[in-house]
Amino acid sequence: MTDPAIAEIILSTSRTHGLVAIASGEGFNRAQDALREAGFSPLPGGAFAAPPEQATSATASALVHSAHEHRASITMSTRPYLGDIGSDIAARLPGDWSATVKTYPRRHWQEDLIGSLWDSGDLLKAVLHDHVPCAVELSNHAGTELLLIERPGHATGYLVGAFATEDYDDNWEEPNAPRSIVLPAKADLAARSVAHTFLPNYRRALHHRRLDTVMSAMNRIRPEHETLQTIKASHRPGDGTPHAGSRLHAQMERAFADHAWLSFRDVLQHAPLLLARCRPTASPWPQDAGALSRLRDALADSQDAWDEFNALRAELYSIPADLTAQEWSQVRSTLGTAVLPAIRTWLADNETFERQARAAVPGGHIPLRTQPAAAHHHTSRHAARRRKRTSDTLERDPSV
């Protein structure tokens, strides 16, 4: 059982903030009170700092006294402030990266990270089994978000891994998950490891995950489509079948469209990026160019339905509404019917798409910036992502 009396102050040095302190433990409120009384001011993300001009022996003495009064222990970290390291790495990565500090005074608070982490290595293990009082979220504002923490059980070094993109929620034991890596203590070497090793691995893993998502969607659609076609072929017009058979066909086609939409929207969401990477003339199958063109046209023809779906989802997200299961089924059936021609095209050319997409896996390292730029801070999307998951429950689940 966690001792509710534990209150710890973890001190580290910062070139920009002076002396930085993180309150930790079940009694972290007492540690925070001690820091305030000693003259420390809160920083964004939950840490506290005594600016360089105030980081004097008098401040240190006041902190020792205040910590004793509030029954809080003081620990001096062997590493510089993690926020500085995160900003230094972000400034060296290619593109527009930002670094945001997050603190987790109580261990169970870091559980909020687990659902969004997409990792098969030591980072996930650390978040599951160790207390991570402080972390830095790195974002390129284009869909890639990473998590940086101090390497548990070691005096130096860091771990970096990935959050899943906002397209995905179910990340636990996902087979394509990239493996987090250990970063050296120096920011320039750490940034090089991120750019040359981790980000290329992450891009390849995301490519495979998107491809598996598309192929799984088509594999769910295919048997239902084949069943529908078999039934329709067994009751052709003029064969003496009563008109009830035609009504049954219409009902079955609406039901198929309802269920097919739930899967085909994965194709609409993930296939465009995969198709954009396909280069049939550079592959062993240059004759695939025609099929890929048909697949792109099918997606373009489905754009209105996809836009309508996203507009409806955004409306329900901003103004929650109670829709019945029947109403949701009607929406899905309408959208599914609109994309039936595209579904047929994708069923016909699915194998061609798969081999071209597998041949188009991104490779190579990502060059660093020649001159580090100042990283800026941003607001994490993880809270919004959790809210979005809740709003998506109805339209994701055909039983709702």
Side-chain angles (χ1 to χ4, degrees), residues 74-192:
I74 299 176
T75 301
M76 192 68 200
S77 174
T78 59
R79 299 176 172 93
Y81 174 49
L82 185 62
D84 287 354
I85 298 297
S87 294
D88 288 346
I89 292 174
R92 288 169 168 81
L93 293 178
D96 182 24
W97 287 80
S98 63
T100 303
V101 175
K102 300 287 184 177
T103 57
Y104 303 95
R106 291 175 175 165
R107 178 173 172 176
H108 69 272
W109 287 10
Q110 71 198 47
E111 293 175 2
D112 287 344
L113 296 170
I114 295 172
S116 298
L117 276 180
W118 187 42
D119 182 55
S120 60
D122 291 339
L123 178 66
L124 179 59
K125 293 178 183 176
V127 174
L128 286 172
H129 303 298
D130 297 291
H131 185 193
V132 180
C134 184
V136 172
E137 294 178 7
L138 302 170
S139 173
N140 72 347
H141 310 282
T144 301
E145 293 188 348
L146 311 180
L147 185 70
L148 175 73
I149 67 171
E150 294 178 346
R151 190 182 184 191
H154 294 75
T156 62
Y158 305 91
L159 291 174
V160 68
F163 289 106
T165 67
E166 62 182 1
D167 304 331
Y168 291 104
D169 294 333
D170 187 11
N171 307 303
W172 189 259
E173 296 183 342
E174 203 281 321
N176 297 299
R179 182 175 294 276
S180 50
I181 63 172
V182 177
L183 299 181
K186 292 186 176 180
D188 56 343
L189 297 179
R192 183 175 297 275

Side-chain angles (χ1 to χ4, degrees), residues 218-238:
M218 297 309 302
N219 289 337
R220 291 192 300 271
I221 292 172
R222 185 179 299 279
E224 292 191 17
H225 183 263
E226 291 176 348
T227 299
L228 176 63
Q229 296 306 109
T230 299
I231 294 175
K232 289 173 67 175
S234 66
H235 297 89
R236 298 185 183 277

Side-chain angles (χ1 to χ4, degrees), residues 343-354:
I343 289 175
R344 296 188 184 100
T345 299
W346 273 81
L347 287 171
D349 292 321
N350 198 36
E351 292 183 2
T352 300
F353 165 76
E354 182 179 11

